[in-house]
Amino acid sequence: MRLISAGEAPGGINAVGHIRLDPKMNGRRPRERKEIASLLRQEVRAGNLKRKNPSGRDQTVEELRGRLVNHPCHACPRREMHAATAHKWVRANREYERLAGLVVKQTDTLGTQYRGVTQILEQLGYLHCGKVTAAGFTLAGIYSERDLLLAQCIRHDIFTKLSPAELAGAIALCIYTPRTDRVQNWDFPTQLAPLVQQVADLQVVISSLEEKQGLPVMAPVDAGLVAAIFAWVNGASLATALESVPEMSAGDFVRWAKIILDVLGQIRVISAQLAPTARKATELIRRGVVAWSEL
């Protein structure tokens, strides 16, 4: 199977019919070519492939053929080479247009996301008339997947009166995402129920704004790590702390503890009010296997 150039078909080409092939056939294997040839012979014998000559079509073809022969390019000794180059240009131009379309689409998507995020930050008071507010500078100092939720918790004084263990638990609630899509774990000390509900309510508001702007919606908060971190900061052993999350390995617990330590360090920098509690929580988390992992 190959392409036929105009020079190889000086009499022109008439479509006389179609043969339906298996989509998996590409004609590259000898056996496939034999099968296609067999199908073609069957169609010929059955009389299904007959030349169709609509009235006046031959005259039009002859006229076009005459114009082709009389065209200055027809006598060019390098005509076939030029034609091959033209084919390459057509293919390259088609690919360019495809890629250019993808760039435009991607750029438009980024622009839409930027405008959506800007709208949310304006509505929540982190931007005003395109300028960063005091709350915006606080948000800029937080580096986390749920940075906006953490900033909202600080602005709404949810972290203000917490103990070191409660603050560590609150941060665990803000940042933790389970490995699997399991049912959310809400097994945590009763005294933390109001705190968990406040944080969850703030996340609902943020998710609602994201949905209205057509942005990817952050998953609901998961309290699966709250009890474990709360127990660890209060001096429990690793085995005791992990009783509330039996599916979590010790290595995963240490990894999340280090992420919480990182967020606590950021809070110490951006909030003088929360700095003492954050510092104490840091000291209490950094013990045992968590401290050893930093050596």
Side-chain angles (χ1 to χ4, degrees), residues 149-218:
L149 177 59
L150 288 164
Q152 284 288 86
C153 288
I154 293 173
R155 286 186 68 197
H156 287 78
D157 295 325
I158 291 178
F159 293 163
T160 303
K161 296 180 180 180
L162 300 181
S163 68
E166 291 170 339
L167 178 59
I171 293 174
L173 177 63
C174 289
I175 67 170
Y176 177 65
T177 53
R179 286 183 179 272
T180 58
D181 295 332
R182 59 169 176 72
V183 177
Q184 290 179 331
N185 184 356
W186 296 96
D187 180 21
F188 50 82
T190 306
Q191 70 190 83
L192 298 181
L195 170 65
V196 171
Q197 191 59 55
Q198 284 179 303
V199 175
D201 289 343
L202 286 179
Q203 180 58 51
V204 169
V205 173
I206 295 172
S207 297
S208 176
L209 293 174
E210 290 172 337
E211 186 175 7
K212 288 179 181 178
Q213 294 296 332
L215 297 172
V217 177
M218 188 69 71

Side-chain angles (χ1 to χ4, degrees), residues 11-18 48-54 57 61:
I13 295 174
N14 285 289
V16 295
H18 297 84
N48 296 330
L49 304 181
K50 294 182 179 180
R51 179 176 178 178
K52 299 174 183 178
N53 260 335
R57 185 176 183 278
V61 170

Side-chain angles (χ1 to χ4, degrees), residues 219-231:
V221 294
D222 190 296
L225 187 62
V226 173
I229 286 294
F230 184 77

Side-chain angles (χ1 to χ4, degrees), residues 15-189:
V16 295
H18 297 84
I19 298 176
R20 186 178 297 278
L21 301 177
D22 187 327
K24 296 180 180 179
M25 278 190 180
N26 57 27
R28 293 179 181 175
R29 300 184 184 90
R31 187 167 120 191
E32 290 182 352
R33 290 197 291 270
K34 288 180 180 179
E35 290 179 11
I36 295 171
S38 177
L39 288 173
L40 178 60
R41 285 193 293 270
Q42 291 174 20
E43 292 293 308
V44 171
R45 293 193 191 104
N48 296 330
L49 304 181
K50 294 182 179 180
R51 179 176 178 178
K52 299 174 183 178
N53 260 335
S55 178
R57 185 176 183 278
D58 282 347
Q59 183 179 355
T60 304
V61 170
E62 289 301 327
E63 180 184 348
L64 291 174
R65 185 178 296 115
R67 291 171 58 185
L68 176 65
V69 172
N70 292 324
H71 194 280
C73 290
H74 186 71
C76 176
R78 305 176 70 184
R79 181 187 64 192
E80 294 305 318
M81 185 183 73
H82 293 164
T85 302
H87 282 305
K88 290 181 181 178
W89 181 90
V90 169
R91 288 196 297 270
N93 189 61
R94 189 181 299 120
E95 179 67 6
Y96 162 77
E97 291 178 349
R98 185 184 70 82
L99 294 175
L102 290 176
V103 170
V104 170
K105 183 178 179 180
Q106 183 67 20
T107 302
D108 185 61
T109 300
L110 292 174
T112 300
Q113 291 181 350
Y114 173 79
R115 288 188 292 272
V117 171
T118 301
Q119 286 291 324
I120 292 175
L121 295 180
E122 290 270 3
Q123 292 176 47
L124 295 179
Y126 293 94
L127 291 176
H128 180 67
C129 297
K131 295 184 179 180
V132 181
T133 63
F137 283 109
T138 297
L139 174 60
I142 302 174
Y143 302 92
S144 169
E145 188 174 355
R146 294 184 188 264
D147 48 6
L148 186 54
L149 177 59
L150 288 164
Q152 284 288 86
C153 288
I154 293 173
R155 286 186 68 197
H156 287 78
D157 295 325
I158 291 178
F159 293 163
T160 303
K161 296 180 180 180
L162 300 181
S163 68
E166 291 170 339
L167 178 59
I171 293 174
L173 177 63
C174 289
I175 67 170
Y176 177 65
T177 53
R179 286 183 179 272
T180 58
D181 295 332
R182 59 169 176 72
V183 177
Q184 290 179 331
N185 184 356
W186 296 96
D187 180 21
F188 50 82

